[in-house]
Amino acid sequence: MTVVKELSGRAKAMLRAVAAGRAQLTGGREPDLYVDGLPCCDQMATHDLVRAGLLRARRAVRLDERADAELTDEGRAAIA
């Protein structure tokens, strides 16, 4: 797991969207985040948040699929 020292305002907003049930992740090692059905413009932040263990897909996802995103315990703590 990557250690995140400080999250940007954008990264926190992305995590809040996930917490609100408004986000989905695509499959693959470098998933993309969709918020309200639209692709998130900051793919690098998405990749960093996933690698840091702050968010994940609720279920296993193939490359051509999307699944609802959820926060991990660390992700919830990051926006508390």
Side-chain angles (χ1 to χ4, degrees):
M1 177 186 320
T2 305
V3 176
V4 177
K5 294 183 180 181
E6 186 172 329
L7 294 174
S8 68
R10 179 181 292 163
K12 289 179 182 177
M14 292 163 68
L15 292 175
R16 286 192 296 270
V18 172
R22 298 173 39 219
Q24 295 179 312
L25 283 172
T26 61
R29 287 181 8 163
E30 299 284 334
D32 292 325
L33 183 70
Y34 284 74
V35 177
D36 296 331
L38 300 172
C40 181
C41 66
D42 195 341
Q43 293 177 351
M44 292 304 295
T46 299
H47 301 165
D48 291 343
L49 293 171
V50 170
R51 272 190 237 112
L54 301 179
L55 69 118
R56 63 182 173 225
R58 288 189 189 266
R59 62 176 177 83
V61 186
R62 294 190 329 229
L63 291 175
D64 60 341
E65 293 182 316
R66 291 187 213 167
D68 290 337
E70 67 180 359
L71 296 180
T72 62
D73 291 338
E74 293 84 3
R76 283 188 287 282
I79 58 171

